[in-house]
Amino acid sequence: MTATFSISSAFDAGNIRVLSLDTSRSPWRAELEIVKDSGSDFYQWFHFRVAGAAAREVELVITNCAGAAYPDGWPGYRARISEDRENWRLAGTHYADGRLTMRVQPDSNALWVAYFAPYSMERHHDLIAWAALQPGVTQRELGLTLDGQPLDLLTVGEGSKQVWLYARQHPGETMAEYWAEGVLERLCDMEDTVARLLRRKATFHIVPNMNPDGSRRGHLRTNAAGVNLNREWHDPSMERSPEVFLVRAEMDHTGVDFAIDVHGDEAIAHVFLAGFEGIPSLRPDRLTLFHRYRDLLAARTPDFQTQKGYPPAPAGKANLSMSTAQLAERFGAVSMTLEMPFKDHDDAPDPDFGWSAARSMQLGRDCLATLAEIIDEI
């Protein structure tokens, strides 16, 4: 029996709309659209399965890229493909005239295609279950999201320094949760000297996924209400942004000395940090410590650099609706936003995998080692 050529996205984090399928020509061709985040105009994340095309050359064309949230993210970008959903390789990808074209030739009758290696909610629950069973780790559910999903917090360490690490406010930025997985693996390794030092000197509060609803729904940037969580930190509510409301309330309880908000950037093909330069109550000693952390991280790993990134906010002009600025202003924290690329990494390109889940996890481990060098100064 001949397998039927089809494209589907009715699964965890799936997103695509099929416009047409054509098997009368070679290569076979599919015209597709990315679906907007519900309740908003944001879209860029895609994740779908190509079925019934083993040994066939297939051309996949996403036709509505010009109107995406970050159209500058498409030139030079390459999609990720996988047949085992563990190893995600770069696909032949071309962008022109608002259309992203991918050429694939699957070995099997099931090929997954995504904007970046997906991090499913099932993998998230596996991570939470594993971490909760590690010595010294406490798992708590801070509350429920608008879709009724749990918002998970993991706490580890006995020290007085309060460190908050939180990822995936924007659900399509899946590299952020891979980073969090790398952090947790290192912190839970009782034979790792960096982990032992950090656990002795600090208490870590880790939210691996700030946006479970957007993650499951296949959103790029928003939660179930169509709200960008990283514009809610000045005035969150349980009606619009329960994820931020619940996390910020817990931060008010613990205090925050050091924080990293982990993201992915669509357009800039580098790893970089953004700080809190424009907050009203800027403390020079805090800013100096942020710069010291940034420079130490650059010295530790060639996957991080300091030349490319976002321009700092002018004095007094920081956006306090964003978490990094809000935490620096609210707590006097050394807070920062870490950005990783969707594109390949210009500083150390990989023609097979590009910037990957594995490199995101390794960066998490390197970020912890860098924190160990300054933990006494925080």
Side-chain angles (χ1 to χ4, degrees), residues 83-163:
E83 290 182 279
D84 62 9
R85 300 204 303 158
E86 283 293 327
N87 300 288
W88 293 83
R89 306 181 72 87
L90 296 175
T93 309
H94 175 69
Y95 178 72
D97 302 321
R99 296 161 70 89
L100 189 76
T101 301
M102 297 157 275
R103 286 283 188 103
V104 299
Q105 188 167 345
D107 291 327
S108 70
N109 275 322
L111 175 76
W112 281 263
V113 183
Y115 189 37
F116 192 82
Y119 200 107
S120 71
M121 287 307 299
E122 285 304 305
R123 182 168 182 144
H124 167 82
H125 291 305
D126 288 343
L127 176 66
I128 296 300
W130 171 82
L133 293 175
Q134 302 309 302
V137 177
T138 299
Q139 180 270 333
R140 281 203 298 134
E141 184 180 297
L142 291 177
L144 299 178
T145 65
L146 296 172
D147 282 347
Q149 295 194 85
L151 186 65
D152 291 305
L153 171 68
L154 297 164
T155 304
V156 58
E158 308 84 39
S160 61
K161 309 292 186 180
Q162 302 299 314
V163 176

Side-chain angles (χ1 to χ4, degrees), residues 35-43 219-228:
V35 180
K36 291 180 180 179
D37 292 5
S38 59
S40 82
D41 289 328
F42 288 112
Y43 68 90
H219 287 188
L220 172 74
R221 200 163 176 84
T222 68
N223 71 355
V227 170
N228 178 354

Side-chain angles (χ1 to χ4, degrees), residues 9-15 45 47 119-125 145 147-150 168 171-172 174 177 209 211-219 222-224:
S9 61
F11 46 76
D12 186 350
N15 183 318
W45 170 262
H47 179 202
Y119 200 107
S120 71
M121 287 307 299
E122 285 304 305
R123 182 168 182 144
H124 167 82
H125 291 305
T145 65
D147 282 347
Q149 295 194 85
R168 217 169 164 190
T174 54
E177 193 159 4
N209 188 335
N211 197 335
D213 293 352
S215 300
R216 179 165 284 162
R217 286 167 172 249
H219 287 188
T222 68
N223 71 355

Side-chain angles (χ1 to χ4, degrees), residues 245-279:
F245 184 94
L246 293 164
V247 169
R248 201 187 75 171
E250 186 66 18
M251 289 175 168
D252 284 341
H253 175 70
T254 66
V256 183
D257 295 310
F258 182 92
I260 305 180
D261 176 22
V262 192
H263 288 263
D265 186 273
E266 289 79 4
I268 301 175
H270 301 271
V271 179
F272 60 95
L273 285 169
F276 51 92
E277 290 84 352
I279 65 170

